[in-house]
Amino acid sequence: MKWKQQIHDMKAYQPGKPIEEVQREYGLDKIVKLASNENPYGFSPKVKAFLESDHTNHAIYPDGYAQILRTAVVEHLGVKETQLIFGNGSDDLIAIVTRALLYPGVNTVMAKPSFSQYSHNAEIEGAEVREVPLKDGKHDLNAMLEAIDENTSIVWVCNPNNPTGTIVSDEELSEFIQKVPQDVLIVLDEAYFEYVNAPEYKNTLHYVEENSNVIIMRTFSKAYGLASFRVGYAIANEDVISKLDPVRAPFNNTVLSHKVATIALQDQGFISECTEKNEKGKLQFVEFCEKHNLNFYPSQTNFILFEVKADSDLVFKEMMKRGFIIRSGKALSAPGYIRVTIGTEEQNAEFLHLLEELLKEQGVLA
Ligand SMILES: *Cc1c(COP(=O)(O)O)cnc(C)c1O
């Protein structure tokens, strides 16, 4: 068949291993997944109560315009209805933006390592991918500016960045936005927005008002704990949204996903409870790294990338045998490191205890 040339050597996304698969493979009865930055506390109890009493008719197509959820987001953020687009997760939004703007002959600029879907989608469209190495674990915005030329269509700022958890400050971002040519779309991927508490990170909504080339992406998959429902949204200038909307599949969320995301958005108390617990959990990891002299990136998210001074694939495998699924840094362009989702206090303590034992066995720790 006449496949696109670039499809030939592409591989499907390698997700964090599913719990059931690891259970089967290693004959374990308890598995903790700290691999995909899901919320270890689940979702709002209000969503749970709703799901238990729900009688949605799933034979009916969902509202392609997502009116209920759209209104809830408008109220939550104070943006205009026409400034929003919803996706089947923000993965879908990344694909929509890419499909609308990239083709052979144009290029797109991003950090490395960063979220893999930016380059993956760009490759499918046959566009050139320009990856700019992180500097001290952070986006090197000056080098990214230099990588932009007249053929650049999209520049990606993953803020906070996955897999490092590091942020771009508002001051740096503001300067960057001013310098990027106005015909280049700037994507601010804020999948971990709710977790950030650094004062130098500020709300970016005003950039959408002031700049017609800025789009912000957020998701219900991480802090809201609704990864399985697949809901993300983007905020941009009305003209940008009206260009992207025809590229979107007509019914890209479900009736149920609209309802649960709406309820979850209205329970901000749950979000602050989870982010407070996340801060304490993060400290458990930071203290471990400091105690053992292991490098780590200062994370503003619910995961942390840190050094294990050992083969990260081996640590990944050995921890899996012990009942914990994490991500090997090797798969994330950070060999010698692992990325671990911050779990509950108990999960973190058990994980770090087992990791300490493993690293002693490996002769890394005394
Ligand atoms: C998890 C993640 C996404 C994708 O989330 P969805 O589940 O598709 O909404 C997007 N960007 C980053 C940086 C992520 O970590």
Side-chain angles (χ1 to χ4, degrees):
M1 277 176 290
K2 298 163 188 167
W3 301 111
K4 284 183 174 182
Q5 188 56 39
Q6 58 271 27
I7 299 286
H8 285 296
D9 24 65
M10 287 187 81
K11 288 198 192 80
Y13 178 73
Q14 291 291 316
K17 275 208 178 217
I19 290 179
E20 296 73 16
E21 189 186 321
V22 177
Q23 249 163 353
R24 247 179 288 126
E25 226 172 286
Y26 296 95
L28 297 161
D29 37 69
K30 198 187 105 195
I31 303 272
V32 180
K33 184 173 176 236
L34 300 178
S36 304
N37 311 333
E38 292 120 332
N39 187 335
Y41 310 104
F43 43 77
S44 162
K46 291 183 176 136
V47 170
K48 185 164 183 279
F50 164 77
L51 288 172
E52 281 162 4
S53 65
D54 179 50
H55 300 287
T56 299
N57 179 0
H58 293 287
I60 305 295
Y61 275 110
D63 170 13
Y65 188 66
Q67 185 66 67
I68 293 175
L69 178 57
R70 186 177 294 264
T71 304
V73 174
V74 162
E75 280 165 15
H76 182 61
L77 297 180
V79 296
K80 275 187 254 157
E81 209 176 285
T82 45
Q83 291 178 309
L84 294 172
I85 181 169
F86 291 87
N88 192 252
S90 36
D91 283 341
D92 186 27
L93 297 165
I94 294 167
I96 290 170
V97 164
T98 305
R99 201 171 167 205
L101 284 159
L102 299 185
Y103 49 90
V106 303
N107 70 68
T108 178
V109 173
M110 64 197 69
K112 186 187 172 90
S114 191
F115 192 53
S116 62
Q117 289 305 295
Y118 314 146
S119 58
H120 186 86
N121 281 283
E123 281 164 21
I124 295 173
E125 301 306 333
E128 181 200 340
V129 173
R130 295 190 175 174
E131 295 179 309
V132 177
L134 297 177
K135 192 174 157 194
D136 305 323
K138 291 173 61 181
H139 277 62
D140 185 349
L141 295 181
N142 286 330
M144 287 173 75
L145 274 173
E146 274 169 37
I148 294 174
D149 64 17
E150 67 280 5
N151 294 320
T152 304
S153 293
I154 310 177
V155 58
W156 305 84
V157 181
C158 187
N159 196 24
N161 188 44
N162 182 357
T164 49
T166 50
I167 54 163
V168 167
S169 74
D170 187 56
E171 204 180 330
E172 295 167 291
L173 189 62
S174 154
E175 201 185 316
F176 179 74
I177 291 174
Q178 279 168 37
K179 289 184 180 163
V180 171
Q182 283 177 9
D183 59 356
V184 175
L185 185 71
I186 305 168
V187 179
L188 306 178
D189 182 347
E190 299 183 349
Y192 300 94
F193 170 82
E194 295 79 9
Y195 287 107
V196 182
N197 58 13
E200 65 271 26
Y201 183 95
K202 299 206 169 78
N203 203 308
T204 51
L205 286 175
H206 67 98
Y207 290 121
V208 166
E209 300 295 334
E210 297 151 11
N211 304 273
S212 56
N213 61 333
V214 172
I215 187 166
I216 302 166
M217 292 182 183
R218 300 215 182 133
T219 180
F220 285 93
S221 297
K222 305 290 159 63
Y224 287 93
L226 299 174
S228 121
F229 282 101
R230 315 300 307 125
V231 194
Y233 61 93
I235 311 133
N237 176 292
E238 293 179 356
D239 297 333
V240 171
I241 297 294
S242 65
K243 288 285 184 304
L244 296 177
D245 244 336
V247 183
R248 180 179 65 82
F251 305 109
N252 60 339
N253 301 127
T254 65
V255 176
L256 209 49
S257 62
H258 287 153
K259 290 187 183 174
V260 297
T262 301
I263 296 168
L265 193 64
Q266 288 158 352
D267 189 359
Q268 289 299 312
F270 176 75
I271 301 296
S272 20
E273 265 172 47
C274 293
T275 53
E276 273 168 40
K277 287 184 202 157
N278 182 66
E279 278 310 297
K280 292 193 186 131
K282 200 158 65 182
L283 269 183
Q284 292 174 274
F285 285 88
V286 167
E287 280 164 10
F288 179 87
C289 292
E290 284 174 346
K291 176 177 162 200
H292 295 299
N293 232 340
L294 302 170
N295 279 330
F296 64 94
Y297 290 99
S299 173
Q300 285 286 308
T301 64
N302 68 334
F303 60 83
I304 182 163
L305 182 70
F306 64 97
E307 188 189 28
V308 283
K309 295 187 175 158
D311 179 55
S312 39
D313 282 356
L314 177 136
V315 174
F316 162 74
K317 264 224 172 87
E318 289 300 319
M319 290 312 294
M320 194 144 68
K321 286 186 198 161
R322 292 160 174 78
F324 282 90
I325 316 175
I326 55 165
R327 292 306 288 267
S328 162
K330 217 176 251 177
L332 304 167
S333 312
Y337 282 68
I338 53 173
R339 193 194 69 191
V340 185
T341 302
I342 294 159
T344 64
E345 184 181 358
E346 197 189 348
Q347 291 170 342
N348 301 335
E350 196 189 340
F351 173 82
L352 290 170
H353 170 72
L354 293 171
L355 179 66
E356 188 167 36
E357 274 184 1
L358 171 67
L359 296 183
K360 279 179 181 163
E361 255 173 57
Q362 293 295 315
V364 172
L365 303 181

